[in-house]
Amino acid sequence: MDYTNNQLHIIYGDATLGVNGKDFQYIFSYERGGLESLKVHGKEWLYRVPTPTFWRATTDNDRGSGFNLKAAQWLGADMFTKCTDIHLKVDRHDFAELPIAPFNNKFSNHEYAKSAEISFTYQTLTTPATNAKIIYNIDDVGHIKVTMRYYGKKGLPPLPVIGIRLIMPTAATGFDYEGLSGETYPDRMAGAKEGKFHIDGLPVTEYLVPQENGMHMQTKKLTINRETTQNNVDRTNEKFSLSIQQAEKPFNFSCLPYTAEELENATHIEELPLVRRTVLVIAGAVRGVGGIDSWGTDVESAYHINPELDHEFSFILN
Amino acid sequence: MQANINWLDNPEVFRVNQLPAHSDHPFFRDYREWQKQHSSYQQSLNGKWKFHFSANPMDRPQDFYQRDFDSSNFDSIPVPSEIELSNYTQNQYINVLFPWEGKIFRRPAYALDPNDHEEGSFSKGADNTVGSYLKRFDLSSALIGKDVHIKFEGVEQAMYVWLNGHFVGYAEDSFTPSEFDLTPYIQDKDNLLAVEVFKHSTASWLEDQDMFRFSGIFRSVELLGIPATHLMDMDLKPRVADNYQDGIFNLKLHFIGKKAGSFHLLVKDIKGHTLLEKNEDIKENVQINNEKFENVHLWNNHDPYLYQLLIEVYDEQQNLLELIPFQFGFRRIEISPEKVVLLNGKRLIINGVNRHEWDAKRGRSITMSDMTTDINTFKENNINAVRTCHYPNQIPWYYLCDQNGIYVMAENNLESHGTWQKMGEIEPSDNVPGSIPQWKEAVIDRARNNYETFKNHTSILFWSLGNESYAGDNIIAMNEFYKSHDDTRLVHYEGVVHRPELKDKISDVESCMYLPPKKVEEYLQNDPPKPFMECEYMHDMGNSDGGMGSYIKLLDKYPQYFGGFIWDFIDQALLVHDEISGHDVLRYGGDFDDRHSDYEFSGDGLMFADRTPKPAMQEVRYYYGLHK
């Protein structure tokens, strides 16, 4: 298929929605509840569907203040994701129901659109439960604006983080970003310098006990570089990249080889698994790390994430 | 005199035959030796020593010090080093509680009952490991015919010394030099030095610092050849006049030996101009009082200007016996009527760190390279002050601080945390030193050792009575010791917060640890009776150091707030080869099957244990740069 005129080719599949264009192919899975494939220039960027993330590996200060005990429900909500609703809009057409068989029998392999929007609603496995929605907005050249909306609810425990976790099939060789130097958090970013930075590999900050690390606040642009794929026919080992740009506001991210749970489970750096994948967390709300003491005093309240308020953030994949 | 193992149990015996603590000045035979920074009067005994390890005092080879003892089955161990790190006995990290927690029940002698001697508590302690060290040596030619002293710069925790079968002396206080006179028993050749090192003694109650619990000869050992007339002690008190421009130079010299001949004294500035010159006959005690130097160049962090003092000691035939070079600065620290701490008349702000001596491979047996690296890290990151938590450091560290303008809070070797705080609650029923008479001299001696050894270092602005030892009559007596010996520095102690009624007798400054910013502000808003500091703040365990700005902004609002020392500079973790991953990895408390342990609490540094900075360092550099 030759895509020349800035249109999206929409594939109304039986279990997925395909969105294709020049040099990109996206598959949204109704079964997996999210973006299953993000293929750009023939390279796959997703290992599993992106999910909301609510947990950060307990820091020493979090453990000391008992924050992990208070927030423990979010660990389950982070590990296990329940997708409760999917909503699709193509151009101006709002689908009341997902266009699966027999509804999609009316479509052909020649369905085109200027834009598509698909949103996934996730119910958090907390008591009380609340919802988080991830909305993918695809424009005519295939840029995806990703928005996550968290719906606050009274009675929820304090939040470690609100973000989206994207896991890539292989480990990145490095990343470049435009933002703040070093590892930064809302209550520890005054000393950072603004600039463009290159990071080799996926360094984990080697705190004695593995814990939350590697956050980069106030980022305008991030480019992740990989050289390998899991595709058995692709053995080129040439660098390929994915860029993430800020939407209305800068975003926060960490780019590590491990999930929060993998970090949480290790008591020493050498217990962490072999470096195999890239775990990108784009965070809308980041909790401070604190430092007054490590045995009781919480992070200063200005750097808490209020679970009872709504939070929303966006970024652009291209 | 014979050695007595019961000294281990007796808090009133802490030094036997030890020479009095004195200033740490170097002495060279002549200018050439000074140029080469090598004194022929000093003979290092560092290197391989014969060594035998015993699990407890009952198992130790009691007569190993005798000349005819067969030591053919002894191993060898490097001196200096930690016994544990040669894998003779288990590494253990523990914070507040004592290392015998859950294994042996102990209470400090006299703490609960004035008649309770606690005999055998340590001399028969099943956990009291013993290192029996032997060293054979010949005197270097420069030492032959002279009085010979031996100086142990640091031995944890109690030691007995013999030379050629004769008992020489006994010492505690692990972190200050212990010096003995070997002259009565020394031979030119084939001397046999025997040192018996116990891991525990009553000093264990006073050395309950939050750290890996090591033992052994962990700092250098050297012989000192004493010239016929020798400057044993010097007490330098350079003052700054009330106009903050002129210097007032005071010096006391104490000579030993023949005490005959003369000395030639010079004070020069960095351009070689001579500010003071004296030629005087030697007496046992000489004083130079109130020599006025106009328009001196003051010493501070940005401009650590040091003057050169030179003392040439001559015998009656005008032969140079020794040359003492020492560098000092003029600086003045005081508290204004508004309760602001002033250095040279200007507000002092401490951008400090607490620093344990630590090397991931060597434990507390650190190297010169560790020290110079740390100074460079300080300079790169706007760290202007260090608290020697919680014991005196190696001697070269104080010289580096003088030269680099690092403000030092020089802390005694004292922490008795586990005797008054249990599971976070304050429970001082068995606290030592408290107000118990039998514990008084031991802690005064620690104050004296710290003061006498380091008193001439310009960089020391504060004497600290120790860490987390509660407060009572004996801490008051330590405070009085410093006050009666030194009016050129301030005295610091935090632990008096638990007994506020003693605040007018202990500490010139109000010191807290880990007080949240809001509480700091409350103190400062209420007409503070003393200047305020945090001797420990910003607990840098793991991913931390958030919210530092809340403290730093108080500096702009309250001149009575003079900053603090971050806890702490470097993680305590040991580099170990991991057989499973094949990597060298850093291990913390509990990783050696050591129990009871406080696990990862050993790592609270701005630096990882391998001396790479943690990411938080850029934040420290920024905030500490705001009030340079």
Side-chain angles (χ1 to χ4, degrees), chain A residues 41 52 74 101 104 158 167 183 211 216 227 235 239 284 311 315:
Chain A
H41 296 296
W74 292 113
N104 61 349
I167 303 183
E183 181 188 271
Q211 55 196 271
H216 299 279
E227 291 178 2
R235 290 287 178 266
K239 180 174 135 178
H311 296 268
F315 55 93

Side-chain angles (χ1 to χ4, degrees), chain B residues 68-118:
Chain B
D68 57 359
F69 178 80
D70 176 10
S71 61
S72 55
N73 67 341
F74 274 35
D75 305 330
S76 80
I77 195 167
V79 167
S81 74
E82 313 278 15
I83 292 172
E84 289 74 6
L85 297 183
S86 288
N87 301 320
Y88 284 100
T89 182
Q90 201 169 10
N91 296 321
Q92 185 184 8
Y93 163 71
I94 190 165
N95 174 13
V96 177
L97 296 172
F98 288 92
W100 51 79
E101 174 69 20
K103 297 166 200 161
I104 292 177
F105 181 84
R106 283 193 174 104
R107 282 292 179 258
Y110 313 114
L112 300 178
D113 175 350
N115 298 312
D116 178 11
H117 304 282
E118 290 286 323

Side-chain angles (χ1 to χ4, degrees), chain B residues 62 123 146 325 376 444 454 463 466 479 493 557 566 580 598:
Chain B
Q62 292 194 30
S123 62
K146 295 192 171 57
N376 290 336
I444 295 219
F454 301 112
W463 298 113
N479 197 93
Y493 184 62
K557 281 176 83 174
I566 287 174
I580 294 169
D598 287 293

Side-chain angles (χ1 to χ4, degrees), chain A residues 156-202:
Chain A
L156 279 167
L159 266 162
V161 67
I162 301 176
I164 296 177
R165 179 171 51 224
L166 299 98
I167 303 183
M168 297 163 191
T170 61
T173 55
F175 55 94
D176 295 272
Y177 71 95
E178 188 179 342
L180 300 179
S181 65
E183 181 188 271
T184 45
Y185 289 86
D187 57 352
R188 202 187 73 206
M189 51 191 270
K193 298 219 173 359
E194 284 188 48
K196 292 180 178 174
F197 303 95
H198 172 77
I199 308 293
D200 274 324
L202 295 172

Side-chain angles (χ1 to χ4, degrees), chain A residues 301-318:
Chain A
S301 56
Y303 307 109
H304 293 188
I305 303 169
N306 190 334
E308 300 183 347
L309 298 181
D310 293 350
H311 296 268
E312 182 175 310
F313 65 96
S314 302
F315 55 93
I316 294 164
L317 283 168
N318 60 14

Side-chain angles (χ1 to χ4, degrees), chain A residues 187-188 267-268 270 290 294 300, chain B residues 539 544 546-547 550 587-588 591:
Chain A
D187 57 352
R188 202 187 73 206
T267 57
H268 293 84
E270 63 271 21
S294 304
E300 288 179 294
Chain B
H539 195 260
S544 185
S550 301
R587 292 278 162 87
Y588 51 81
D591 284 345

Side-chain angles (χ1 to χ4, degrees), chain A residues 100-118:
Chain A
I100 51 175
F103 183 90
N104 61 349
N105 290 339
K106 67 176 187 178
F107 293 122
S108 71
N109 197 32
H110 304 284
E111 306 293 337
Y112 295 94
K114 279 286 187 187
S115 69
E117 179 184 298
I118 182 163

